[in-house]
Amino acid sequence: MRVETPLHIVTADPHTLALSIRASCLVFEDSASRALLERVQRIAPSDATALIIGETGTGKELIARHIHELSARRTGPFVAFNCAAISESLMESELFGHERGAFTGAVTAKTGWFETAQGGSLFLDEIGDLPLALQAKLLRVIQEREVIRVGSRQPIAIDVRLIAATNVNLEEAVAAGRFRQDLYYRLHVAPVQLPPLRERPGDILPLVHHFLKIYGTR
């Protein structure tokens, strides 16, 4: 089963989000993959927060994009943010935005990723790496459906479908005190377990054919 998923390039001043072209096709033939696809098709039409759980390299962003493309928000932006790729000092500003003069170097106001994803889906990858202080603020955003930029007191209403992903066991992280239990429950509304390729042997040969066709034409 090969599912083509069109890509959207989202431009929002001051960022330009170029979405990866590698996540453009699903090649799922194994029975476990077909069951996964059926689950995605059931949860995608809702606005429920989805939590994709899987090892690094299993295609969590690909599944997140497919959920977006099957949802009523498909005409809106799909915005991906890696929680492990930004320093803790900048993360609040990146997620929620900031006002001019909010801190040294903030010479202009800046929209955050939540505002950029307005009307669409926001994919928070590696959510398990989000610092505890930011977890509390993310929880509030999910509950109140609004963000407050750094340096501002004015809330901004948001209309965003949240999709998160993790390669760590969040239940163990909660038990160890590294992840908020209340946030975990907010994220774990529609979980999607993504098995690694070694547990989907029926996908190996179709994937080989798929990539041979792509690179053979080059």
PDB file of all heavy atoms in Angstrom, residues 133-168:
ATOM      1  N   ALA A 133       9.945  23.124  33.033  1.00  0.00           N
ATOM      2  CA  ALA A 133       9.346  24.456  33.101  1.00  0.00           C
ATOM      3  C   ALA A 133       8.470  24.725  31.880  1.00  0.00           C
ATOM      4  O   ALA A 133       7.397  25.320  31.982  1.00  0.00           O
ATOM      5  CB  ALA A 133      10.440  25.518  33.212  1.00  0.00           C
ATOM      6  N   LEU A 134       8.919  24.281  30.722  1.00  0.00           N
ATOM      7  CA  LEU A 134       8.140  24.457  29.499  1.00  0.00           C
ATOM      8  C   LEU A 134       6.943  23.507  29.456  1.00  0.00           C
ATOM      9  O   LEU A 134       5.924  23.811  28.838  1.00  0.00           O
ATOM     10  CB  LEU A 134       9.032  24.234  28.284  1.00  0.00           C
ATOM     11  CG  LEU A 134       9.672  25.475  27.649  1.00  0.00           C
ATOM     12  CD1 LEU A 134       8.623  26.386  27.049  1.00  0.00           C
ATOM     13  CD2 LEU A 134      10.535  26.215  28.640  1.00  0.00           C
ATOM     14  N   GLN A 135       7.080  22.352  30.102  1.00  0.00           N
ATOM     15  CA  GLN A 135       5.958  21.415  30.155  1.00  0.00           C
ATOM     16  C   GLN A 135       4.753  22.054  30.828  1.00  0.00           C
ATOM     17  O   GLN A 135       3.608  21.880  30.386  1.00  0.00           O
ATOM     18  CB  GLN A 135       6.373  20.144  30.889  1.00  0.00           C
ATOM     19  CG  GLN A 135       7.380  19.282  30.149  1.00  0.00           C
ATOM     20  CD  GLN A 135       7.798  18.066  30.958  1.00  0.00           C
ATOM     21  OE1 GLN A 135       7.039  17.565  31.799  1.00  0.00           O
ATOM     22  NE2 GLN A 135       8.999  17.581  30.724  1.00  0.00           N
ATOM     23  N   ALA A 136       4.992  22.793  31.913  1.00  0.00           N
ATOM     24  CA  ALA A 136       3.901  23.452  32.625  1.00  0.00           C
ATOM     25  C   ALA A 136       3.227  24.489  31.733  1.00  0.00           C
ATOM     26  O   ALA A 136       1.994  24.619  31.721  1.00  0.00           O
ATOM     27  CB  ALA A 136       4.428  24.105  33.900  1.00  0.00           C
ATOM     28  N   LYS A 137       4.013  25.231  30.960  1.00  0.00           N
ATOM     29  CA  LYS A 137       3.449  26.253  30.081  1.00  0.00           C
ATOM     30  C   LYS A 137       2.722  25.622  28.903  1.00  0.00           C
ATOM     31  O   LYS A 137       1.682  26.131  28.455  1.00  0.00           O
ATOM     32  CB  LYS A 137       4.560  27.185  29.611  1.00  0.00           C
ATOM     33  CG  LYS A 137       5.146  27.995  30.766  1.00  0.00           C
ATOM     34  CD  LYS A 137       6.257  28.917  30.325  1.00  0.00           C
ATOM     35  CE  LYS A 137       6.787  29.697  31.527  1.00  0.00           C
ATOM     36  NZ  LYS A 137       7.879  30.633  31.169  1.00  0.00           N
ATOM     37  N   LEU A 138       3.241  24.511  28.396  1.00  0.00           N
ATOM     38  CA  LEU A 138       2.554  23.807  27.311  1.00  0.00           C
ATOM     39  C   LEU A 138       1.215  23.263  27.790  1.00  0.00           C
ATOM     40  O   LEU A 138       0.213  23.322  27.068  1.00  0.00           O
ATOM     41  CB  LEU A 138       3.430  22.669  26.784  1.00  0.00           C
ATOM     42  CG  LEU A 138       2.793  21.772  25.720  1.00  0.00           C
ATOM     43  CD1 LEU A 138       2.403  22.578  24.489  1.00  0.00           C
ATOM     44  CD2 LEU A 138       3.733  20.636  25.331  1.00  0.00           C
ATOM     45  N   LEU A 139       1.190  22.747  29.010  1.00  0.00           N
ATOM     46  CA  LEU A 139      -0.054  22.238  29.582  1.00  0.00           C
ATOM     47  C   LEU A 139      -1.115  23.339  29.623  1.00  0.00           C
ATOM     48  O   LEU A 139      -2.280  23.113  29.274  1.00  0.00           O
ATOM     49  CB  LEU A 139       0.198  21.691  30.988  1.00  0.00           C
ATOM     50  CG  LEU A 139      -1.030  21.169  31.742  1.00  0.00           C
ATOM     51  CD1 LEU A 139      -1.618  19.958  31.040  1.00  0.00           C
ATOM     52  CD2 LEU A 139      -0.660  20.826  33.182  1.00  0.00           C
ATOM     53  N   ARG A 140      -0.708  24.527  30.023  1.00  0.00           N
ATOM     54  CA  ARG A 140      -1.652  25.635  30.093  1.00  0.00           C
ATOM     55  C   ARG A 140      -2.186  25.996  28.705  1.00  0.00           C
ATOM     56  O   ARG A 140      -3.378  26.275  28.531  1.00  0.00           O
ATOM     57  CB  ARG A 140      -0.989  26.863  30.724  1.00  0.00           C
ATOM     58  CG  ARG A 140      -1.961  28.014  30.917  1.00  0.00           C
ATOM     59  CD  ARG A 140      -1.279  29.303  31.305  1.00  0.00           C
ATOM     60  NE  ARG A 140      -2.248  30.381  31.418  1.00  0.00           N
ATOM     61  CZ  ARG A 140      -2.770  31.037  30.379  1.00  0.00           C
ATOM     62  NH1 ARG A 140      -2.417  30.706  29.147  1.00  0.00           N
ATOM     63  NH2 ARG A 140      -3.663  31.998  30.556  1.00  0.00           N
ATOM     64  N   VAL A 141      -1.307  25.980  27.708  1.00  0.00           N
ATOM     65  CA  VAL A 141      -1.721  26.293  26.339  1.00  0.00           C
ATOM     66  C   VAL A 141      -2.751  25.274  25.855  1.00  0.00           C
ATOM     67  O   VAL A 141      -3.762  25.632  25.233  1.00  0.00           O
ATOM     68  CB  VAL A 141      -0.495  26.310  25.402  1.00  0.00           C
ATOM     69  CG1 VAL A 141      -0.933  26.369  23.937  1.00  0.00           C
ATOM     70  CG2 VAL A 141       0.400  27.493  25.722  1.00  0.00           C
ATOM     71  N   ILE A 142      -2.519  24.004  26.142  1.00  0.00           N
ATOM     72  CA  ILE A 142      -3.459  22.956  25.730  1.00  0.00           C
ATOM     73  C   ILE A 142      -4.804  23.141  26.420  1.00  0.00           C
ATOM     74  O   ILE A 142      -5.869  22.994  25.799  1.00  0.00           O
ATOM     75  CB  ILE A 142      -2.871  21.561  26.041  1.00  0.00           C
ATOM     76  CG1 ILE A 142      -1.610  21.311  25.204  1.00  0.00           C
ATOM     77  CG2 ILE A 142      -3.904  20.468  25.779  1.00  0.00           C
ATOM     78  CD1 ILE A 142      -0.878  20.037  25.559  1.00  0.00           C
ATOM     79  N   GLN A 143      -4.774  23.474  27.703  1.00  0.00           N
ATOM     80  CA  GLN A 143      -6.011  23.619  28.466  1.00  0.00           C
ATOM     81  C   GLN A 143      -6.786  24.866  28.076  1.00  0.00           C
ATOM     82  O   GLN A 143      -8.017  24.821  27.917  1.00  0.00           O
ATOM     83  CB  GLN A 143      -5.687  23.657  29.964  1.00  0.00           C
ATOM     84  CG  GLN A 143      -5.190  22.345  30.526  1.00  0.00           C
ATOM     85  CD  GLN A 143      -4.734  22.465  31.967  1.00  0.00           C
ATOM     86  OE1 GLN A 143      -4.385  23.557  32.437  1.00  0.00           O
ATOM     87  NE2 GLN A 143      -4.731  21.362  32.688  1.00  0.00           N
ATOM     88  N   GLU A 144      -6.096  25.987  27.918  1.00  0.00           N
ATOM     89  CA  GLU A 144      -6.758  27.276  27.689  1.00  0.00           C
ATOM     90  C   GLU A 144      -6.938  27.602  26.211  1.00  0.00           C
ATOM     91  O   GLU A 144      -7.679  28.527  25.879  1.00  0.00           O
ATOM     92  CB  GLU A 144      -5.967  28.396  28.373  1.00  0.00           C
ATOM     93  CG  GLU A 144      -5.732  28.189  29.859  1.00  0.00           C
ATOM     94  CD  GLU A 144      -7.035  28.112  30.645  1.00  0.00           C
ATOM     95  OE1 GLU A 144      -8.010  28.773  30.230  1.00  0.00           O
ATOM     96  OE2 GLU A 144      -7.076  27.383  31.653  1.00  0.00           O
ATOM     97  N   ARG A 145      -6.232  26.894  25.340  1.00  0.00           N
ATOM     98  CA  ARG A 145      -6.279  27.155  23.903  1.00  0.00           C
ATOM     99  C   ARG A 145      -5.864  28.587  23.584  1.00  0.00           C
ATOM    100  O   ARG A 145      -6.464  29.263  22.758  1.00  0.00           O
ATOM    101  CB  ARG A 145      -7.681  26.871  23.338  1.00  0.00           C
ATOM    102  CG  ARG A 145      -8.261  25.531  23.703  1.00  0.00           C
ATOM    103  CD  ARG A 145      -7.456  24.385  23.164  1.00  0.00           C
ATOM    104  NE  ARG A 145      -7.481  24.319  21.704  1.00  0.00           N
ATOM    105  CZ  ARG A 145      -6.811  23.410  20.992  1.00  0.00           C
ATOM    106  NH1 ARG A 145      -6.043  22.522  21.621  1.00  0.00           N
ATOM    107  NH2 ARG A 145      -6.883  23.397  19.687  1.00  0.00           N
ATOM    108  N   GLU A 146      -4.820  29.035  24.254  1.00  0.00           N
ATOM    109  CA  GLU A 146      -4.296  30.363  24.002  1.00  0.00           C
ATOM    110  C   GLU A 146      -2.830  30.411  24.410  1.00  0.00           C
ATOM    111  O   GLU A 146      -2.385  29.631  25.258  1.00  0.00           O
ATOM    112  CB  GLU A 146      -5.086  31.439  24.767  1.00  0.00           C
ATOM    113  CG  GLU A 146      -5.032  31.287  26.271  1.00  0.00           C
ATOM    114  CD  GLU A 146      -5.892  32.300  27.016  1.00  0.00           C
ATOM    115  OE1 GLU A 146      -6.893  32.763  26.421  1.00  0.00           O
ATOM    116  OE2 GLU A 146      -5.590  32.597  28.180  1.00  0.00           O
ATOM    117  N   VAL A 147      -2.086  31.322  23.778  1.00  0.00           N
ATOM    118  CA  VAL A 147      -0.677  31.509  24.114  1.00  0.00           C
ATOM    119  C   VAL A 147      -0.460  32.943  24.565  1.00  0.00           C
ATOM    120  O   VAL A 147      -1.226  33.848  24.208  1.00  0.00           O
ATOM    121  CB  VAL A 147       0.260  31.187  22.926  1.00  0.00           C
ATOM    122  CG1 VAL A 147       0.145  29.741  22.513  1.00  0.00           C
ATOM    123  CG2 VAL A 147      -0.022  32.116  21.750  1.00  0.00           C
ATOM    124  N   ILE A 148       0.575  33.145  25.350  1.00  0.00           N
ATOM    125  CA  ILE A 148       0.999  34.495  25.740  1.00  0.00           C
ATOM    126  C   ILE A 148       2.467  34.629  25.348  1.00  0.00           C
ATOM    127  O   ILE A 148       3.322  33.869  25.810  1.00  0.00           O
ATOM    128  CB  ILE A 148       0.835  34.728  27.260  1.00  0.00           C
ATOM    129  CG1 ILE A 148      -0.637  34.579  27.655  1.00  0.00           C
ATOM    130  CG2 ILE A 148       1.358  36.108  27.640  1.00  0.00           C
ATOM    131  CD1 ILE A 148      -0.883  34.727  29.150  1.00  0.00           C
ATOM    132  N   ARG A 149       2.731  35.566  24.460  1.00  0.00           N
ATOM    133  CA  ARG A 149       4.110  35.764  24.013  1.00  0.00           C
ATOM    134  C   ARG A 149       5.005  36.225  25.166  1.00  0.00           C
ATOM    135  O   ARG A 149       4.530  36.875  26.096  1.00  0.00           O
ATOM    136  CB  ARG A 149       4.160  36.815  22.904  1.00  0.00           C
ATOM    137  CG  ARG A 149       3.502  36.409  21.601  1.00  0.00           C
ATOM    138  CD  ARG A 149       3.659  37.519  20.576  1.00  0.00           C
ATOM    139  NE  ARG A 149       3.036  37.199  19.309  1.00  0.00           N
ATOM    140  CZ  ARG A 149       3.038  38.017  18.255  1.00  0.00           C
ATOM    141  NH1 ARG A 149       3.655  39.197  18.344  1.00  0.00           N
ATOM    142  NH2 ARG A 149       2.446  37.648  17.137  1.00  0.00           N
ATOM    143  N   VAL A 150       6.274  35.884  25.082  1.00  0.00           N
ATOM    144  CA  VAL A 150       7.242  36.356  26.065  1.00  0.00           C
ATOM    145  C   VAL A 150       7.268  37.888  26.013  1.00  0.00           C
ATOM    146  O   VAL A 150       7.381  38.481  24.944  1.00  0.00           O
ATOM    147  CB  VAL A 150       8.650  35.792  25.776  1.00  0.00           C
ATOM    148  CG1 VAL A 150       9.663  36.337  26.778  1.00  0.00           C
ATOM    149  CG2 VAL A 150       8.631  34.260  25.806  1.00  0.00           C
ATOM    150  N   GLY A 151       7.123  38.512  27.172  1.00  0.00           N
ATOM    151  CA  GLY A 151       7.125  39.963  27.240  1.00  0.00           C
ATOM    152  C   GLY A 151       5.755  40.586  27.072  1.00  0.00           C
ATOM    153  O   GLY A 151       5.622  41.809  27.005  1.00  0.00           O
ATOM    154  N   SER A 152       4.716  39.766  27.010  1.00  0.00           N
ATOM    155  CA  SER A 152       3.356  40.278  26.838  1.00  0.00           C
ATOM    156  C   SER A 152       2.454  39.728  27.939  1.00  0.00           C
ATOM    157  O   SER A 152       2.769  38.715  28.577  1.00  0.00           O
ATOM    158  CB  SER A 152       2.792  39.863  25.477  1.00  0.00           C
ATOM    159  OG  SER A 152       1.419  40.207  25.359  1.00  0.00           O
ATOM    160  N   ARG A 153       1.335  40.396  28.163  1.00  0.00           N
ATOM    161  CA  ARG A 153       0.319  39.903  29.089  1.00  0.00           C
ATOM    162  C   ARG A 153      -0.994  39.625  28.364  1.00  0.00           C
ATOM    163  O   ARG A 153      -1.992  39.264  28.995  1.00  0.00           O
ATOM    164  CB  ARG A 153       0.078  40.921  30.205  1.00  0.00           C
ATOM    165  CG  ARG A 153       1.293  41.140  31.099  1.00  0.00           C
ATOM    166  CD  ARG A 153       0.992  42.098  32.230  1.00  0.00           C
ATOM    167  NE  ARG A 153       2.153  42.295  33.099  1.00  0.00           N
ATOM    168  CZ  ARG A 153       2.161  43.087  34.151  1.00  0.00           C
ATOM    169  NH1 ARG A 153       1.066  43.773  34.470  1.00  0.00           N
ATOM    170  NH2 ARG A 153       3.241  43.222  34.885  1.00  0.00           N
ATOM    171  N   GLN A 154      -0.972  39.809  27.040  1.00  0.00           N
ATOM    172  CA  GLN A 154      -2.189  39.662  26.249  1.00  0.00           C
ATOM    173  C   GLN A 154      -2.267  38.253  25.663  1.00  0.00           C
ATOM    174  O   GLN A 154      -1.435  37.868  24.842  1.00  0.00           O
ATOM    175  CB  GLN A 154      -2.202  40.687  25.109  1.00  0.00           C
ATOM    176  CG  GLN A 154      -3.443  40.641  24.243  1.00  0.00           C
ATOM    177  CD  GLN A 154      -4.691  41.023  25.010  1.00  0.00           C
ATOM    178  OE1 GLN A 154      -4.666  41.947  25.827  1.00  0.00           O
ATOM    179  NE2 GLN A 154      -5.783  40.312  24.768  1.00  0.00           N
ATOM    180  N   PRO A 155      -3.261  37.453  26.064  1.00  0.00           N
ATOM    181  CA  PRO A 155      -3.390  36.112  25.492  1.00  0.00           C
ATOM    182  C   PRO A 155      -3.849  36.165  24.038  1.00  0.00           C
ATOM    183  O   PRO A 155      -4.601  37.056  23.644  1.00  0.00           O
ATOM    184  CB  PRO A 155      -4.439  35.440  26.383  1.00  0.00           C
ATOM    185  CG  PRO A 155      -5.236  36.570  26.943  1.00  0.00           C
ATOM    186  CD  PRO A 155      -4.294  37.721  27.086  1.00  0.00           C
ATOM    187  N   ILE A 156      -3.384  35.202  23.257  1.00  0.00           N
ATOM    188  CA  ILE A 156      -3.759  35.081  21.855  1.00  0.00           C
ATOM    189  C   ILE A 156      -4.429  33.728  21.663  1.00  0.00           C
ATOM    190  O   ILE A 156      -3.823  32.685  21.928  1.00  0.00           O
ATOM    191  CB  ILE A 156      -2.517  35.192  20.942  1.00  0.00           C
ATOM    192  CG1 ILE A 156      -1.825  36.545  21.152  1.00  0.00           C
ATOM    193  CG2 ILE A 156      -2.896  34.993  19.479  1.00  0.00           C
ATOM    194  CD1 ILE A 156      -0.484  36.648  20.444  1.00  0.00           C
ATOM    195  N   ALA A 157      -5.673  33.731  21.220  1.00  0.00           N
ATOM    196  CA  ALA A 157      -6.404  32.480  21.011  1.00  0.00           C
ATOM    197  C   ALA A 157      -5.775  31.697  19.861  1.00  0.00           C
ATOM    198  O   ALA A 157      -5.367  32.270  18.845  1.00  0.00           O
ATOM    199  CB  ALA A 157      -7.868  32.770  20.722  1.00  0.00           C
ATOM    200  N   ILE A 158      -5.708  30.389  20.021  1.00  0.00           N
ATOM    201  CA  ILE A 158      -5.142  29.545  18.967  1.00  0.00           C
ATOM    202  C   ILE A 158      -6.125  28.440  18.599  1.00  0.00           C
ATOM    203  O   ILE A 158      -6.891  27.952  19.431  1.00  0.00           O
ATOM    204  CB  ILE A 158      -3.799  28.914  19.407  1.00  0.00           C
ATOM    205  CG1 ILE A 158      -3.960  28.128  20.714  1.00  0.00           C
ATOM    206  CG2 ILE A 158      -2.709  29.962  19.506  1.00  0.00           C
ATOM    207  CD1 ILE A 158      -2.795  27.221  21.015  1.00  0.00           C
ATOM    208  N   ASP A 159      -6.097  28.073  17.342  1.00  0.00           N
ATOM    209  CA  ASP A 159      -6.904  26.971  16.821  1.00  0.00           C
ATOM    210  C   ASP A 159      -5.952  26.012  16.124  1.00  0.00           C
ATOM    211  O   ASP A 159      -5.701  26.118  14.931  1.00  0.00           O
ATOM    212  CB  ASP A 159      -7.961  27.504  15.854  1.00  0.00           C
ATOM    213  CG  ASP A 159      -8.762  26.386  15.200  1.00  0.00           C
ATOM    214  OD1 ASP A 159      -8.838  25.291  15.788  1.00  0.00           O
ATOM    215  OD2 ASP A 159      -9.292  26.609  14.086  1.00  0.00           O
ATOM    216  N   VAL A 160      -5.384  25.098  16.906  1.00  0.00           N
ATOM    217  CA  VAL A 160      -4.325  24.222  16.421  1.00  0.00           C
ATOM    218  C   VAL A 160      -4.589  22.792  16.882  1.00  0.00           C
ATOM    219  O   VAL A 160      -4.960  22.568  18.030  1.00  0.00           O
ATOM    220  CB  VAL A 160      -2.945  24.689  16.937  1.00  0.00           C
ATOM    221  CG1 VAL A 160      -1.858  23.692  16.593  1.00  0.00           C
ATOM    222  CG2 VAL A 160      -2.606  26.053  16.378  1.00  0.00           C
ATOM    223  N   ARG A 161      -4.390  21.835  16.001  1.00  0.00           N
ATOM    224  CA  ARG A 161      -4.435  20.426  16.380  1.00  0.00           C
ATOM    225  C   ARG A 161      -3.006  19.993  16.737  1.00  0.00           C
ATOM    226  O   ARG A 161      -2.084  20.130  15.949  1.00  0.00           O
ATOM    227  CB  ARG A 161      -4.956  19.564  15.213  1.00  0.00           C
ATOM    228  CG  ARG A 161      -5.486  18.182  15.667  1.00  0.00           C
ATOM    229  CD  ARG A 161      -4.603  17.050  15.308  1.00  0.00           C
ATOM    230  NE  ARG A 161      -5.151  15.757  15.745  1.00  0.00           N
ATOM    231  CZ  ARG A 161      -5.873  14.923  14.982  1.00  0.00           C
ATOM    232  NH1 ARG A 161      -6.156  15.250  13.739  1.00  0.00           N
ATOM    233  NH2 ARG A 161      -6.310  13.772  15.470  1.00  0.00           N
ATOM    234  N   LEU A 162      -2.835  19.482  17.951  1.00  0.00           N
ATOM    235  CA  LEU A 162      -1.508  19.115  18.431  1.00  0.00           C
ATOM    236  C   LEU A 162      -1.229  17.640  18.169  1.00  0.00           C
ATOM    237  O   LEU A 162      -2.042  16.772  18.490  1.00  0.00           O
ATOM    238  CB  LEU A 162      -1.395  19.409  19.927  1.00  0.00           C
ATOM    239  CG  LEU A 162      -0.010  19.258  20.558  1.00  0.00           C
ATOM    240  CD1 LEU A 162       0.979  20.233  19.939  1.00  0.00           C
ATOM    241  CD2 LEU A 162      -0.080  19.473  22.066  1.00  0.00           C
ATOM    242  N   ILE A 163      -0.069  17.388  17.581  1.00  0.00           N
ATOM    243  CA  ILE A 163       0.432  16.023  17.376  1.00  0.00           C
ATOM    244  C   ILE A 163       1.829  15.976  17.975  1.00  0.00           C
ATOM    245  O   ILE A 163       2.692  16.779  17.608  1.00  0.00           O
ATOM    246  CB  ILE A 163       0.490  15.651  15.884  1.00  0.00           C
ATOM    247  CG1 ILE A 163      -0.875  15.860  15.207  1.00  0.00           C
ATOM    248  CG2 ILE A 163       0.944  14.200  15.711  1.00  0.00           C
ATOM    249  CD1 ILE A 163      -0.840  15.686  13.699  1.00  0.00           C
ATOM    250  N   ALA A 164       2.039  15.077  18.911  1.00  0.00           N
ATOM    251  CA  ALA A 164       3.344  14.967  19.562  1.00  0.00           C
ATOM    252  C   ALA A 164       3.963  13.608  19.247  1.00  0.00           C
ATOM    253  O   ALA A 164       3.263  12.664  18.858  1.00  0.00           O
ATOM    254  CB  ALA A 164       3.199  15.146  21.076  1.00  0.00           C
ATOM    255  N   ALA A 165       5.270  13.525  19.411  1.00  0.00           N
ATOM    256  CA  ALA A 165       5.967  12.258  19.173  1.00  0.00           C
ATOM    257  C   ALA A 165       7.092  12.103  20.176  1.00  0.00           C
ATOM    258  O   ALA A 165       7.668  13.087  20.658  1.00  0.00           O
ATOM    259  CB  ALA A 165       6.521  12.209  17.745  1.00  0.00           C
ATOM    260  N   THR A 166       7.401  10.872  20.481  1.00  0.00           N
ATOM    261  CA  THR A 166       8.474  10.596  21.434  1.00  0.00           C
ATOM    262  C   THR A 166       9.117   9.248  21.132  1.00  0.00           C
ATOM    263  O   THR A 166       8.461   8.324  20.638  1.00  0.00           O
ATOM    264  CB  THR A 166       7.946  10.594  22.876  1.00  0.00           C
ATOM    265  OG1 THR A 166       9.020  10.349  23.780  1.00  0.00           O
ATOM    266  CG2 THR A 166       6.878   9.543  23.077  1.00  0.00           C
ATOM    267  N   ASN A 167      10.410   9.157  21.427  1.00  0.00           N
ATOM    268  CA  ASN A 167      11.106   7.871  21.326  1.00  0.00           C
ATOM    269  C   ASN A 167      11.477   7.345  22.708  1.00  0.00           C
ATOM    270  O   ASN A 167      12.225   6.378  22.827  1.00  0.00           O
ATOM    271  CB  ASN A 167      12.360   7.997  20.449  1.00  0.00           C
ATOM    272  CG  ASN A 167      13.383   8.953  21.030  1.00  0.00           C
ATOM    273  OD1 ASN A 167      13.166   9.586  22.060  1.00  0.00           O
ATOM    274  ND2 ASN A 167      14.525   9.069  20.364  1.00  0.00           N
ATOM    275  N   VAL A 168      10.959   8.003  23.750  1.00  0.00           N
ATOM    276  CA  VAL A 168      11.212   7.548  25.121  1.00  0.00           C
ATOM    277  C   VAL A 168       9.898   7.096  25.743  1.00  0.00           C
ATOM    278  O   VAL A 168       8.812   7.480  25.301  1.00  0.00           O
ATOM    279  CB  VAL A 168      11.845   8.658  25.986  1.00  0.00           C
ATOM    280  CG1 VAL A 168      13.151   9.123  25.375  1.00  0.00           C
ATOM    281  CG2 VAL A 168      10.897   9.834  26.155  1.00  0.00           C
TER     282      VAL A 168
END
